[in-house]
Amino acid sequence: GPGTNTYLVGTGSSPILIDTGSGVDGYVPLLEKALRDEFDAARPSQILLTHAHRDHLGGVHTLLRHFGSMPISKLPWPARDEALGITAAREGDSFYTEGVRLRALHCPGHAQDHLCFYLEEEHALFTGDVVLGMGTTVIPLEGGDMAVYLASLRRIRQLPVQRIYPAQGTK
């Protein structure tokens, strides 16, 4: 595909980073430029991860080496993310920074640990791989379940969402 989207969210100098990508060369300079130009910030305040697939959390170690320690939150999947030093995020947990509140929604099916993040102020949803900007979501054998995925989609349809920010493809 075209790569994994990552998002900086907030209105002040302490934005939250949603997903880290896979850790490709060149990502850190682009992230630093966005932090500086859009937020007048030197680093993200914290990292939220949608799920444990490598293209969403593969950049964690690179970012921690570059920026230093910061909180990392995701729904635990011990077999996949035990070495990350995460803080457990659960359904309904809220994450705050200037100008925003993100609420975690457990939306499994693509991955058993999948969280979406609802941006209350904009009625926007960061969908990870549950809803893509292009293409079709893969339901992998490990941690995936089509019936559960369809239930997650039905749940999302019930939310007052006005904008979707997908992890793959354009928004």
Side-chain angles (χ1 to χ4, degrees), residues 45-148:
S45 61
Q46 62 182 303
I47 296 170
L48 303 180
L49 298 170
T50 57
H51 61 294
H53 291 161
R54 175 150 173 55
D55 59 328
H56 296 266
L57 59 65
V60 166
H61 295 295
T62 300
L63 294 180
L64 292 178
R65 278 192 304 276
H66 185 80
F67 293 114
S69 180
M70 70 182 77
I72 303 166
S73 301
K74 72 173 287 303
L75 185 70
W77 185 355
R80 299 291 296 268
D81 55 28
E82 55 205 27
L84 290 177
I86 65 164
T87 299
R90 304 273 185 225
E91 166 74 28
D93 285 353
S94 291
F95 302 89
Y96 300 92
T97 192
E98 294 174 70
V100 301
R101 172 185 177 216
L102 292 162
R103 185 168 36 100
L105 304 171
H106 185 212
C107 294
H110 169 70
Q112 67 190 38
D113 65 334
H114 201 293
L115 291 174
C116 293
F117 296 99
Y118 185 65
L119 176 57
E120 308 265 337
E121 292 76 10
E122 295 182 12
H123 301 286
L125 188 65
F126 294 88
T127 60
D129 283 348
V130 175
V131 177
L132 303 181
M134 60 185 285
T136 302
T137 298
V138 172
I139 308 302
L141 292 176
E142 182 186 10
D145 184 306
M146 181 60 83
V148 173

Side-chain angles (χ1 to χ4, degrees), residues 2-5 7 132-134 166-171:
T4 303
N5 299 327
Y7 296 95
L132 303 181
M134 60 185 285
Q168 312 284 335
T170 58
K171 58 183 188 270

